[in-house]
Amino acid sequence: MRAFVAVDLPVELHEKITEIQLKFNDFKFKFVSPDLVHITMKFLGEVPESSIPDISKALDNVKCEPFQSHVKGLGVFPKPKFAKVIWLGCDGNFELLYEQIDNALSSFEFEKTLHKFSAHATLARVKYLPKKKKTDFLDLLDELKDMEIGYMDVNSIKLKKSTLTPKGPIYETLHEVILK
């Protein structure tokens, strides 16, 4: 099964996420449903179902106090002129949380992340952006780059199963770790 470790964005931010996504309605992007928007802390990839209890037990060893995150600003990967992903910025103690998760799962030999961890929540995937719309897109990005989304308490991480379907992914929480 496809699995990952995530921090969910709270329901209180879903309305603001919808507002932002509506601003991009002129573009044919693949939007993430607001109730599925999350911060991926570690993508595990395909894991045998039999290893889920051991992964869950390992995640129980994560030591990180709960913290508050300021969700603010819009950005893209890899860069504005060649955007593939539109994301929300998230600050807070995510680096420590990431290190703790990475250390807790080190014995499983999951593939190492090639880039530096950057806490973000994906809003949309850009499959195609016509040249004639690129300027409008870049202007909108510039307008929203410092947009205020809100605050959230980060007090748990979740091990999730991801089932890909033609209508989009279905996420199921397999295990939750309350931060203390």
Side-chain angles (χ1 to χ4, degrees):
M1 77 173 63
R2 223 166 163 256
F4 62 97
V5 179
V7 170
D8 284 336
L9 266 63
V11 112
E12 302 83 64
L13 298 182
H14 292 181
E15 191 176 317
K16 194 75 170 178
I17 290 168
T18 301
E19 277 176 41
I20 293 166
Q21 290 177 331
L22 287 173
K23 292 178 184 290
F24 288 93
N25 255 1
D26 287 350
F27 306 94
K28 304 284 186 244
F29 298 154
K30 189 166 174 53
F31 294 103
V32 177
S33 174
D35 59 324
L36 297 180
V37 173
H38 63 274
I39 300 160
T40 300
M41 297 303 299
K42 185 158 184 77
F43 181 71
L44 307 181
E46 291 294 328
V47 297
E49 202 164 330
S50 60
S51 65
I52 295 301
D54 291 334
I55 293 169
S56 298
K57 202 178 294 180
L59 286 172
D60 286 336
N61 294 316
V62 167
K63 302 276 184 271
C64 181
E65 291 185 8
F67 58 93
Q68 190 172 64
S69 174
H70 189 188
V71 183
K72 166 185 176 304
L74 223 69
V76 298
F77 290 138
K79 54 188 176 183
K81 285 188 176 177
F82 303 102
K84 295 292 174 207
V85 172
I86 301 170
W87 49 259
L88 289 175
C90 307
D91 73 6
N93 211 3
F94 286 105
E95 293 254 340
L96 174 67
L97 183 56
Y98 171 77
E99 285 172 21
Q100 285 287 316
I101 292 167
D102 212 32
N103 290 341
L105 298 176
S106 62
S107 66
F108 292 92
E109 298 177 4
F110 291 117
E111 211 170 286
K112 285 284 179 210
T113 312
L114 299 175
H115 50 291
K116 186 180 182 310
F117 177 75
S118 169
H120 68 279
T122 299
L123 290 183
R125 300 200 183 286
V126 179
K127 297 288 184 207
Y128 174 69
L129 180 61
K131 275 189 177 154
K132 64 182 184 226
K133 288 197 172 216
K134 195 166 275 203
T135 302
D136 293 344
F137 173 70
L138 294 172
D139 290 346
L140 184 56
L141 265 187
D142 193 51
E143 178 190 320
L144 300 175
K145 72 176 185 265
D146 297 319
M147 184 168 198
E148 187 63 38
I149 292 40
Y151 289 87
M152 66 183 231
D153 292 321
V154 178
N155 47 28
S156 74
I157 57 171
K158 295 177 180 175
L159 173 61
K160 293 186 172 255
K161 172 184 176 180
S162 171
T163 305
L164 302 178
T165 73
K167 291 183 177 176
I170 297 169
Y171 299 145
E172 179 187 341
T173 298
L174 303 174
H175 184 69
E176 183 172 13
V177 177
I178 304 300
L179 303 179
K180 333 180 186 103

